[in-house]
Amino acid sequence: MSDCLFCKIAQGKIPARIVHQDEDTVAFEDIEPQAPFHVLVIPRQHVATLNDLGREHDGVMGKLLRVAATLAREKGYAEKGWRAVVNTNREGGQLVLHVHLHVLGGRQMGWPPG
Ligand code: AMP
Ligand code: ZN
């Protein structure tokens, strides 16, 4: 989608600190990190929210989780623990309308989330 910030990052039109990319996904550091480790993993294809998923997205959504786990393991958080979060729409806290998996690690997480 031409007007989407995360589509532009995926296409290299806006700079980001990219930590992983493949044919289906891109992962980059969050510009306002909420933990010592905070990256966003996105599908290259534009999908606005989790509400918009169809069967055709099953594969890439699984891949987002596997990329997240790989990155967390590479950073040494696999055993200690880490968190993956997807915010959805306004009350869910979603500001950027392109599905993204927050991957956070390096501090004790609270529950319930705020
Ligand atoms: P959400 O509130 O779930 O939509 O999360 C959007 C996230 O995108 C926030 O954590 C922002 O800090 C992050 N963000 C916004 N703009 C950028 C950017 N240009 N590069 C990296 N992260 C960004
Ligand atoms: Zn997009």
Side-chain angles (χ1 to χ4, degrees):
M1 199 179 143
S2 60
D3 207 24
C4 168
L5 172 65
F6 286 178
C7 280
K8 288 178 181 162
I9 287 177
Q11 292 160 9
K13 292 178 178 163
I14 287 182
R17 295 170 74 121
I18 291 175
V19 296
H20 167 89
Q21 53 184 326
D22 59 53
E23 65 273 31
D24 305 310
T25 73
V26 180
F28 51 94
E29 292 179 6
D30 195 293
I31 205 167
E32 208 176 307
Q34 301 300 315
F37 177 64
H38 186 177
V39 300
L40 304 172
V41 192
I42 67 170
R44 281 192 183 277
Q45 186 187 353
H46 181 82
V47 185
T49 79
L50 289 186
N51 294 329
D52 303 300
L53 292 176
R55 281 179 187 277
E56 67 273 25
H57 303 114
D58 286 359
V60 74
M61 292 308 291
K63 195 164 182 179
L64 293 189
L65 289 170
R66 193 165 56 75
V67 168
T70 301
L71 294 171
R73 178 172 293 284
E74 282 172 6
K75 288 288 178 185
Y77 298 124
E79 306 309 326
K80 261 188 298 195
W82 54 284
R83 181 168 289 179
V85 177
V86 181
N87 299 324
T88 300
N89 276 343
R90 187 170 35 86
E91 286 200 7
Q94 184 179 14
L95 295 176
V96 179
L97 289 173
H98 180 130
V99 163
H100 49 282
L101 187 63
H102 292 262
V103 186
L104 303 128
R107 65 167 171 83
Q108 180 61 52
M109 299 295 160
W111 192 264

